[in-house]
Amino acid sequence: MTEKFDAIVVGAGPSGNAAAYTMAKAGLKVLQIERGEYPGSKNVQGAILYADALEKIIPDFREDAPLERHIIEQRLWMLDDQSYMGTHYRSDKFNEERPNRYTIIRAQIDKWFSKKVKEAGALVICETTVTDLLKDAAGKVIGVRTDRENGDIFADVVVLCDGVNSLLAQRAGFRAELKPEHVALAVKEMHFLPRDVIDERFNVKGEEGVVIEIAGTVTSGMVGTAFIYTNGESLAVGIGCLVSDFKKTGETPYALLERFKNHPSIAPLLKGSEVKEYAAHLIPEGGYKAIPKVYGDGWMICGDAGQFVNALHREGSNMAMTTGRLAAETVMALKEAGKPMTDANLAAYRRSLEESFVIKDLKKYKDLPEFLHKNTQFFSDYPNLLSKAAETWFRVDGIDKKTKEGQMVRGFVKARGWRGLLGDAVKLARAWR
Ligand code: FAD
């Protein structure tokens, strides 16, 4: 294939599909290359779809996208070994005409999105791996090399949407190797249950769904979280921790997941389910400080490849779609103005990222990854202390409430000391700003 494209998009995850769709829809000549057998075949997600990001690309996506349930209730749980304490927010306002969040099955939604990309006019080829970037004598990216025979293909710009590892960006020297403390390893299972059992267990009906985000001793003091999401006829159950912590502790993700599933507060939710799928995947969690330069002469980086994940809020796919769309819009504006895809011109992509929620949110939490890495008491001491305090408070045993208050405070002070407690509060507030 020797023809030249306006843009080549590598990868058919949310960032690649957003970029390819947006450019193809605007009439650009786009080639998208995916190594998987079909889009979605290699991808793993919880998965929550944030409607706003997709709506900005395909406004009427609700008409035919494969959606599982819309979320009406968010639970945040803190687990110690025997109990959980937490908050639930449930609102009938989320039963709106255009719901804000949905559970989805990634393989299905990627396939659907890819169909839209093709309908918009892009050429999509699967089962093809991009092995390298082609550069001219001045170092400008001018195309890609694939693992197909005569597999060099040329374009004005190459948009790298190849996911967390992005070996292409690494090989080309655009990005450093991932640091173990900047990436989490997550494992996930699909537990199948009849729809009416899920409805009853989670107190929902029809298309309503529930999200449970969980932290605490279940990650054995490692930085990480777990989740349970309700699909139509299955539950997505997963847990993930920083790779550096797995290395340090020798824990295995599988053992962690087993422990989580057998927790006395979790096991009843999964009882009787049939596990049909098991998957593992990396999540970039280095945050703002880990974002590499995301553009240069003839290239751009979107989604996980650029570390665009807000781990605290569990937002990744929306950042992937938004960065893909903004990269595409940058290319479209340059094409329209007849300008070349140079480093100086593509800098407009970074500027539009700065103006969007993507960089604003990641910047807000810029110190959080390092803070959590260095303060694992939030995943060990505090869940135990909070649970003990709650147990003391709620147990009616003839001890007066003032004495109980004293016991609760002494529990915290004994474990962390006054200075430790104050220091933790100040550090947490600073990281949160
Ligand atoms: P990917 O989805 O990883 O897509 C990259 C694509 O590129 C893949 O299809 C891959 O096959 C292809 N590719 C890679 N290299 C090449 C190559 N050399 N040549 C050709 N093709 C290539 N986000 C949320 O918003 N909500 C959630 O609930 C959520 N839950 C998650 C739960 C888990 C367990 C995990 C692991 C992630 C979760 N995320 C969630 C994050 C979200 O999945 C990612 O942020 C998102 O998938 C990133 O999209 P992407 O397009 O950048 O990369």
Side-chain angles (χ1 to χ4, degrees):
M1 200 188 291
T2 49
E3 63 181 311
K4 191 176 166 201
F5 291 84
D6 289 321
I8 293 173
V9 176
V10 184
S15 62
N17 285 336
Y21 178 87
T22 307
M23 288 188 286
K25 189 92 181 153
L28 268 60
K29 193 173 165 192
V30 178
L31 171 68
Q32 188 183 34
I33 305 173
E34 166 58 45
R35 68 179 173 180
E37 191 187 338
Y38 56 86
S41 61
K42 296 256 177 206
N43 298 335
V44 181
Q45 196 178 320
I48 307 295
L49 171 82
Y50 301 97
D52 176 72
L54 183 53
E55 210 165 19
K56 288 197 166 82
I57 300 163
I58 306 181
D60 59 357
F61 78 89
R62 291 178 183 83
E63 279 176 17
D64 58 352
L67 306 166
E68 292 287 307
R69 291 175 185 254
H70 63 270
I71 309 304
I72 63 147
E73 182 174 324
Q74 175 87 32
R75 304 180 188 173
L76 296 171
W77 287 5
M78 176 80 94
L79 255 56
D80 75 349
D81 291 347
Q82 285 154 319
S83 17
Y84 85 85
M85 66 188 300
T87 63
H88 293 196
Y89 180 71
R90 180 185 177 107
S91 175
D92 201 41
K93 284 187 186 160
F94 289 135
N95 275 321
E96 55 211 328
E97 202 185 318
R98 299 159 79 82
N100 181 254
R101 294 183 299 160
Y102 295 90
T103 47
I104 48 137
I105 310 280
R106 254 304 283 275
Q108 291 175 10
I109 204 97
D110 282 4
K111 251 188 187 172
W112 166 86
F113 205 163
S114 185
K115 190 165 158 264
K116 298 282 172 192
V117 172
K118 286 178 210 152
E119 284 167 8
L123 176 61
V124 181
I125 53 171
C126 292
E127 294 187 281
T128 304
T129 300
V130 174
T131 54
D132 233 327
L133 298 178
L134 302 173
K135 295 181 182 173
D136 66 11
K140 180 180 189 297
V141 171
I142 51 169
V144 298
R145 174 152 296 161
T146 69
D147 61 353
R148 291 203 175 191
E149 210 175 314
N150 301 321
D152 289 0
I153 316 170
F154 298 90
D156 291 334
V157 65
V158 175
V159 189
L160 292 171
C161 302
D162 51 340
V164 54
N165 282 319
S166 192
L167 296 176
L168 291 171
Q170 216 173 289
R171 248 182 251 138
F174 301 156
R175 207 189 79 172
E177 199 179 330
L178 282 174
K179 291 186 184 159
E181 64 272 24
H182 283 172
V183 64
L185 173 61
V187 287
K188 181 193 138 180
E189 283 180 354
M190 293 290 272
H191 286 244
F192 284 79
L193 281 167
R195 184 176 268 274
D196 58 327
V197 174
I198 294 179
D199 287 355
E200 198 178 322
R201 244 174 233 185
F202 289 83
N203 188 23
V204 285
K205 60 179 183 335
E207 305 302 316
E208 296 171 346
V210 173
V211 160
I212 315 180
E213 306 283 9
I214 301 149
T217 58
V218 69
T219 57
S220 295
M222 301 191 285
V223 177
T225 50
F227 61 85
I228 298 178
Y229 301 152
T230 56
N231 296 319
E233 292 181 356
S234 64
L235 302 175
V237 181
I239 190 163
C241 292
L242 290 181
V243 168
S244 53
D245 282 352
F246 278 124
K247 243 169 111 177
K248 199 164 67 192
T249 58
E251 287 272 358
T252 63
Y254 184 70
L256 219 57
L257 184 61
E258 280 306 304
R259 211 159 50 238
F260 173 57
K261 290 188 302 180
N262 287 315
H263 187 281
S265 301
I266 303 298
L269 297 175
L270 311 181
K271 195 169 162 235
S273 64
E274 191 187 347
V275 182
K276 288 194 188 161
E277 288 168 35
Y278 179 84
H281 207 276
L282 295 174
I283 308 178
E285 297 204 346
Y288 181 74
K289 291 180 183 171
I291 299 171
K293 185 164 181 255
V294 288
Y295 63 91
D297 279 327
W299 59 272
M300 302 163 101
I301 299 179
C302 306
D304 277 12
Q307 309 285 306
F308 294 112
V309 168
N310 180 342
L312 182 71
H313 288 261
R314 287 221 181 264
E315 293 179 28
S317 64
N318 58 336
M319 294 207 162
M321 286 188 272
T322 303
T323 54
R325 174 176 62 81
L326 294 176
E329 287 171 0
T330 307
V331 172
M332 283 149 53
L334 292 178
K335 279 270 164 199
E336 174 96 26
K339 291 184 179 169
M341 303 293 153
T342 58
D343 179 89
N345 289 337
L346 290 173
Y349 169 46
R350 174 74 199 199
R351 288 195 293 276
S352 51
L353 290 175
E354 300 272 351
E355 283 161 22
S356 74
F357 76 95
V358 174
I359 292 287
K360 284 182 185 162
D361 283 357
L362 292 175
K363 213 173 200 172
K364 170 174 161 47
Y365 298 120
K366 67 181 187 313
D367 296 323
L368 201 61
E370 204 178 340
F371 164 78
L372 293 175
H373 189 56
K374 288 186 179 158
N375 293 277
T376 46
Q377 65 270 25
F378 289 97
F379 296 88
S380 50
D381 293 356
Y382 281 107
N384 281 324
L385 290 166
L386 286 166
S387 172
K388 182 79 196 137
E391 188 198 340
T392 304
W393 190 245
F394 292 119
R395 194 181 284 280
V396 177
D397 50 8
I399 298 175
D400 66 278
K401 302 298 184 241
K402 197 159 182 64
T403 303
K404 278 179 181 282
E405 277 174 6
Q407 286 174 351
M408 288 156 68
V409 171
R410 276 195 298 281
F412 279 87
V413 176
K414 195 172 163 211
R416 298 292 304 157
W418 281 113
R419 285 178 68 175
L421 289 170
L422 193 64
D424 288 343
V426 171
K427 281 185 284 184
L428 183 62
R430 279 203 186 129
W432 204 267
R433 273 183 310 180

